Amino acid sequence: MIVDFAFDETVAKVFPDMIRRSVPGYETIIALTGLLAEQYAQPDSLCYDLGCSLGAATLAMRRQIHQSGCRIIAVDNAEAMTSRCQQHIQEAGEGTAVDVICADIQDVIIENASVVVINFTLQFIEPTARLALLEKIYTGLRPGGALLVSEKIAFSSEAEQQRMDALHIAFKKANGYSDLEISQKRSALENILIPDTLEQHHERLHAAGFSSIDNWFRCINFVSLLAIR
Ligand code: GEK
């Protein structure tokens, strides 16, 4: 029986291992998220990690940000994630202050922000609601502030889609997943993870107000974009 994927206790327990084995480039994106955050963090501002899961990006930002008066707001709507995230931050000891909030990122106020990170989470938001979320982020960013968006992408060319899917499946098999596990995960995610093409991401970020948009990372069917207000 395939049920839709949920961010529950079972997923939270295996999450770090699952995301590393499924998302090519995940560790690089997380490490670079910290470095990018340090470049764009402004004194006395807020840095957001939207869809923080267990706090990997939050912890990377916390390690790298050295601006005075910064505070990180880490948000996820799965309690199984935020409770573990809170625990990881406590275990990490001294560093930039973090508020972990269990809420829908669509309901959270974004204000006085210099850095907003949304890593592999926009893809779970209802497609028609994505522009409004990016507009809210744009409005809440200070001039010169940065938005980092990492996503799984789709391709408008069917042939390219097939080539990238085949390579992604090979990546997951090389990381120990069986054909059955791969196809079950695909069915479970089908209705809840809806990827956009790179072109759709650029168009929507432009529509939200961002003028500078860089594709700073891509591996197979995963990208990370840096958009500056
Ligand atoms: C990482 N960024 O390790 N509001 C809040 N949280 C949400 C919502 C929503 N509307 N929808 C989904 N989530 C992390 C990885 S995982 C990616 C992010 C993945 C949360 C959901 O509970 C989950 O924790 C996270 O978004 C997506 O860099 O599992 O592929």
Side-chain angles (χ1 to χ4, degrees):
M1 219 4 207
I2 308 289
V3 290
D4 278 352
F5 190 83
F7 291 102
D8 54 15
E9 278 295 324
T10 321
V11 168
K13 262 190 213 151
V14 299
F15 188 78
D17 177 61
M18 188 188 79
I19 197 157
R20 252 188 309 108
R21 291 159 75 202
S22 317
V23 177
Y26 177 73
E27 282 111 329
T28 305
I29 290 175
I30 292 298
L32 270 289
T33 295
L35 299 185
L36 281 164
E38 166 57 0
Q39 286 186 354
Y40 291 93
Q42 298 176 22
D44 304 311
S45 70
L46 298 176
C47 299
Y48 290 82
D49 181 6
L50 303 178
C52 62
S53 297
L54 302 188
T58 291
L59 290 169
M61 289 201 274
R62 204 166 173 267
R63 268 195 293 277
Q64 299 298 338
I65 292 174
H66 296 105
Q67 293 285 358
S68 64
C70 276
R71 197 169 186 91
I72 299 172
I73 315 289
V75 186
D76 203 289
N77 65 353
E79 216 274 322
M81 294 292 188
T82 50
S83 57
R84 282 181 169 76
C85 178
Q86 186 76 62
Q87 209 178 314
H88 289 175
I89 288 155
Q90 266 157 17
E91 284 163 10
E94 294 278 294
T96 307
V98 181
D99 294 325
V100 181
I101 300 174
C102 188
D104 190 314
I105 57 175
Q106 296 168 104
D107 300 332
V108 163
I109 294 169
I110 310 280
E111 59 187 356
N112 189 29
S114 57
V115 176
V116 177
V117 172
I118 179 162
N119 275 349
F120 313 108
T121 299
L122 193 61
Q123 60 201 20
F124 293 110
I125 300 296
E126 169 64 39
T128 55
R130 293 178 188 179
L131 176 59
L133 176 60
L134 293 184
E135 285 172 338
K136 176 176 80 168
I137 294 171
Y138 181 83
T139 307
L141 272 169
R142 289 184 182 180
L147 166 64
L148 195 69
V149 188
S150 307
E151 289 273 283
K152 181 177 190 178
I153 54 164
F155 299 88
S156 41
S157 147
E158 187 50 37
E160 188 176 11
Q161 182 74 58
Q162 280 176 16
R163 286 194 297 272
M164 295 305 120
D165 278 348
L167 195 51
H168 187 213
I169 288 170
F171 173 84
K172 290 197 278 191
K173 282 174 82 166
N175 282 330
Y177 282 120
S178 68
D179 287 324
L180 183 65
E181 284 170 316
I182 292 170
S183 75
Q184 283 183 337
K185 175 101 180 276
R186 175 173 282 240
S187 312
L189 281 173
E190 205 160 36
N191 299 320
I192 64 160
L193 192 171
I194 300 164
D196 293 312
T197 64
L198 196 48
E199 296 72 33
Q200 284 173 313
H201 280 293
H202 276 257
E203 277 167 23
R204 195 168 43 221
L205 285 164
H206 273 298
F210 293 95
S211 49
S212 149
I213 303 157
D214 301 330
N215 305 330
W216 74 268
F217 182 90
R218 168 158 167 212
C219 187
I220 317 179
N221 47 352
F222 289 84
V223 297
S224 189
L225 307 176
L226 172 66
I228 308 296
R229 172 164 182 173

